[in-house]
């Protein structure tokens, strides 16, 4: 097939390295040139059917890599009693239950194992990573402690850290008071940052920072990003995909920017954040594009926004 590409650009298919499954993502991703995405494990049985349908040409969408479910911190109030064996949230309460759930998910075709947070004991994470590696697949975690922070996750064999969770907690100066990621980066200890970068490089850990998630309003290209967003949501065909609750979340996320002195402080944090990832890249580390694509983001478009921040 010959395509006349005069006046056009040719790109490889783009990836979204962090998405949370939703049935409406399928057609929007390829509209923005995103041909593959990683669902970190919320889709349950439906994500299996969706992935296989796309791979067999039965439905439109990007190639999917799925966790099926992820391991969340146990909370009795989250249990209804109606969960299935492949429910998007799994709550193992012992190493034996973790092993059983891991085998069940991997045998069903999960493309990775995903630990939702850093509350898990180091030994459990290490076992999960060893098990999934034995099948030639990666291990993911949001490593924000208290039991496994970023360094512990790296030592346990975690391959991908979503949200770069835990990085800001490691690099912040001793005794600093901060409420969020940008405020911690505003008080970055360069020696701690350099130490962490070396560990991440040595252990071959890939970070997915989801920068727009922590810093709406701060990127240099934010006005252009907002123009694209407003144009997109003046299109009735796009609006037809969105439930009102998703639209409200999306609008709130875009408007969540600080003002006055707090904005100035967080802008320092934003610039330090960019410097950290620039130094990590220069040292041979890997940083992946991921939108944390959910109801508060635009599938596909968020990948372009993250790319613009990477360019910055």
């Amino acid at each position: 097939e010959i395509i006349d590409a005069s006046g056009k650009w040719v790109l490889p298919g783009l990836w979204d390295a962090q998405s949370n499954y939703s049935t409406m993502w399928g057609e929007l991703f390829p509209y923005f040139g995103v041909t593959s995405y990683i669902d970190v494990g919320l889709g349950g049985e439906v994500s299996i059917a969706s992935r296989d349908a796309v791979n067999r040409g039965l439905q439109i969408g990007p190639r999917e890599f799925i966790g099926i479910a992820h391991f969340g911190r146990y909370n009795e109030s989250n249990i209804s009693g109606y969960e299935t064996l492949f429910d998007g949230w799994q709550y193992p309460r012992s190493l034996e239950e973790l092993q059983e759930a891991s085998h069940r998910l991997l045998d069903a075709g999960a493309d990775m194992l995903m630990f939702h947070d850093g509350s898990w004991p180091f030994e459990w994470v290490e076992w999960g990573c060893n098990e999934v590696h034995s099948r030639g697949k990666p291990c993911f975690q949001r490593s924000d402690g208290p039991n496994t922070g970023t360094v512990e996750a790296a030592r346990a064999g975690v391959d991908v850290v979503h949200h770069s969770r835990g990085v800001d907690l490691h690099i912040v100066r001793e005794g600093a008071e901060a409420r969020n990621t940008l405020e911690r980066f505003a008080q970055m200890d360069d020696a701690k940052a350099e130490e962490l970068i070396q560990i991440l490089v040595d252990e071959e850990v890939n970070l997915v920072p989801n920068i727009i998630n922590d810093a709406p309003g701060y990127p240099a290209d934010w006005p252009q990003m907002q123009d694209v967003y407003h144009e997109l949501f003046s299109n009735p065909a796009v609006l037809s995909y969105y439930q009102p609750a998703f639209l409200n979340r999306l609008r709130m996320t875009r408007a969540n920017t600080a003002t006055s002195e707090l904005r100035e402080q967080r802008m320092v944090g934003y610039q330090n954040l960019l410097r950290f990832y620039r130094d990590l890249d220069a040292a041979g580390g890997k940083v992946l594009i991921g939108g944390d694509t959910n109801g508060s983001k635009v599938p596909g478009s968020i990948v372009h926004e993250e790319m613009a921040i990477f360019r910055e």
Side-chain angles (χ1 to χ4, degrees):
E1 181 181 2
I2 298 175
I3 299 171
D4 182 1
S6 302
K8 295 179 169 56
W9 293 91
V10 178
L11 292 174
L14 304 176
W15 282 71
D16 187 334
Q18 183 181 347
S19 177
N20 299 283
Y21 177 85
S22 177
T23 53
M24 70 185 194
W25 294 168
E27 293 187 35
L28 283 174
F29 269 124
Y31 177 82
F32 288 100
V34 177
T35 57
S36 298
Y37 83 97
I38 297 172
D39 171 53
V40 295
L42 277 175
E45 294 93 332
V46 178
S47 64
I48 302 174
S50 176
R51 177 194 60 187
D52 294 349
V54 169
N55 289 346
R56 295 173 187 175
L58 300 176
Q59 91 179 16
I60 296 172
R63 182 172 51 168
E64 301 177 27
F65 294 85
I66 61 173
I68 301 177
H70 56 210
F71 299 127
R73 185 176 301 170
Y74 183 79
N75 185 334
E76 193 71 45
S77 64
N78 292 337
I79 307 297
S80 68
Y82 293 98
E83 288 77 19
T84 70
L85 289 174
F86 298 101
D87 190 79
W89 287 87
Q90 299 281 318
Y91 302 104
R93 287 171 287 181
S94 67
L95 178 57
E96 290 72 24
E97 288 187 7
L98 173 71
Q99 292 169 338
E100 179 183 352
S102 298
H103 291 147
R104 183 168 64 245
L105 293 171
L106 291 168
D107 289 347
D111 295 305
M112 81 284 288
L113 285 184
M114 171 65 180
F115 291 89
H116 185 257
D117 56 66
S119 66
W120 302 95
F122 176 87
E123 293 77 13
W124 294 25
V125 178
E126 185 178 43
W127 180 89
C129 291
N130 287 337
E131 177 63 23
V132 73
H133 289 162
S134 73
R135 304 197 188 202
K137 298 177 179 182
C139 186
F140 290 38
Q141 185 176 33
R142 295 164 56 165
S143 54
D144 50 357
N147 295 319
T148 46
T150 309
V151 172
E152 291 80 14
R155 304 295 191 209
V158 170
D159 302 288
V160 180
V161 176
H162 279 148
H163 288 289
S164 293
R165 192 64 64 81
V167 168
D168 56 327
L169 298 172
H170 185 92
I171 57 86
V172 68
R173 292 199 314 264
E174 292 292 337
E177 294 185 8
R179 291 166 293 180
N180 64 24
T181 299
L182 291 187
E183 291 179 24
R184 294 187 187 99
F185 268 101
Q187 303 174 80
M188 182 168 71
D189 182 321
D190 283 3
K192 286 186 174 183
E194 185 177 346
E195 173 196 52
L196 181 59
I197 284 172
Q198 193 58 55
I199 292 170
L200 295 172
V201 171
D202 290 345
E203 300 293 341
E204 299 182 355
V205 179
N206 303 267
L207 298 183
V208 188
N210 313 128
I211 297 171
I212 203 75
N213 195 67
D214 291 314
Y218 293 90
D221 289 333
W222 184 251
Q224 181 184 356
M225 294 175 185
Q226 287 292 77
D227 287 345
V228 172
Y229 159 71
H230 289 302
E231 180 181 353
L232 196 64
F233 284 94
S234 65
N235 184 337
V238 174
L239 284 169
S240 68
Y241 280 93
Y242 275 80
Q243 305 165 16
F246 274 22
L247 271 176
N248 288 336
R249 286 180 62 192
L250 181 58
R251 288 167 180 150
M252 289 175 62
T253 298
R254 307 293 296 198
N256 186 25
T257 58
T259 57
S260 66
E261 292 181 7
L262 184 57
R263 176 176 173 80
E264 292 179 14
Q265 178 193 10
R266 292 181 179 177
M267 180 58 82
V268 172
Y270 176 68
Q271 295 300 329
N272 281 347
L273 180 150
L274 296 185
R275 178 162 61 90
F276 174 85
Y277 290 110
R278 191 161 58 243
D279 291 348
L280 174 61
D281 180 76
K286 298 294 188 295
V287 192
L288 308 181
I289 296 280
D292 184 31
T293 305
N294 53 31
S296 64
K297 316 287 174 19
V298 182
S301 181
I302 187 70
V303 171
H304 290 257
E305 294 183 343
E306 288 288 311
M307 289 172 68
I309 296 172
F310 276 39
R311 180 192 60 79
E312 183 185 349

